[in-house]
Amino acid sequence: MPADLQIHTDQSDGMDSAATIFEAARRRELDVLAITDHDQTRGALLARELAAQQQQPFDLIVGSEVTSRAGHILALWIEEPIPAFRSPARTVELIWRQGGAAIIAHPAAVLPFSLGLRTIDRLVNTLRPELSGGDAPILAIETSNPIPFARWRRDAVIQANRNRWKLPETGGSDAHFWEQVGAGVTEFAGQGEAALHAALKAGATTSRLDHVPRLRGIGAKRLIRQPWRGLTATPKALLRRSRRMPGS
């Protein structure tokens, strides 16, 4: 079954609502999708509530795209936001503390902010003892992301992973527009998020790119507006979180 494990909504730097994203997910016949707004879980929690109300035919995972000091790391199956601007190893450890899965997002891309190959080498070597146990937490790597800078380094990332890191491979659209939903997917045996989680644990997932949309189909006005939302997404999330803290 196909899962899209990186989608952004208008609660962060995405341009479309969860309801609009759901329509696209149904058309793409996705079995699982993860909402991964930047440095927050608010958008994903709202999306999960809406999906339950609408009795959507797919499972929805609460997630976040976390800004570590060296690049973005996806956190799946979490409830609370992961602190930003920690080291990659600390970021992964904080994801694991919530029982979540950590995925290295768009590895080795020049843009957006990404972990380079040498940084991933250090991260995997640092965490190797935790990854070697029988009930080891999940650390995976996104090998199918349709953004141009990720596609250019994709072959190098896949080769490094299969030769050195040996992490489960995932795909996600990194969608900021509904047209992009399903452009990158994770494939797994079975159905639903429980089967997906089991496949990640077993290293039995595959990834692929699919129907990457043309930019002209998205529209110039929306394309121009989105980068500004991207620049402000993390500061807004951190400010909103600080206002909720006791004594702030």
Side-chain angles (χ1 to χ4, degrees), residues 69-84:
R69 288 203 295 262
H72 292 159
I73 297 174
L74 300 176
L76 305 187
W77 290 290
I78 61 170
E79 296 291 323
E80 297 294 329
I82 304 297

Side-chain angles (χ1 to χ4, degrees), residues 53-101:
Q53 291 173 357
Q54 296 180 342
Q55 297 184 324
Q56 292 290 348
F58 48 75
D59 285 352
L60 191 142
I61 297 171
V62 171
S64 175
E65 185 170 13
V66 186
T67 306
S68 82
R69 288 203 295 262
H72 292 159
I73 297 174
L74 300 176
L76 305 187
W77 290 290
I78 61 170
E79 296 291 323
E80 297 294 329
I82 304 297
F85 307 119
R86 304 305 196 266
S87 70
R90 180 60 174 163
T91 300
V92 171
E93 289 168 357
L94 290 170
I95 295 168
W96 287 349
R97 282 192 180 184
Q98 287 197 43

Side-chain angles (χ1 to χ4, degrees), residues 125-199:
N125 288 335
T126 298
L127 298 176
R128 186 69 72 187
E130 288 86 349
L131 294 169
S132 62
D135 191 29
I138 295 171
L139 176 64
I141 189 162
E142 189 179 62
T143 53
S144 291
N145 182 310
I147 63 174
F149 288 116
R151 293 207 308 269
W152 292 346
R153 300 301 305 278
R154 183 174 183 236
D155 289 345
V157 168
I158 290 173
Q159 182 178 4
N161 186 50
R162 295 179 181 175
N163 291 340
R164 303 201 300 272
W165 309 324
K166 305 186 187 305
L167 301 175
E169 297 184 359
T170 71
S173 66
D174 208 347
H176 292 77
F177 306 91
W178 70 262
E179 293 92 338
Q180 298 170 320
V181 172
V185 296
T186 304
E187 294 182 316
F188 62 100
Q191 188 171 6
E193 62 176 303
L196 169 63
H197 192 276

Side-chain angles (χ1 to χ4, degrees), residues 106-127:
H106 39 73
V110 177
L111 289 172
F113 191 32
S114 308
L115 275 65
L117 299 182
R118 292 182 180 178
T119 301
I120 298 171
D121 279 333
R122 291 193 295 269
L123 175 65
V124 172
N125 288 335
T126 298
L127 298 176

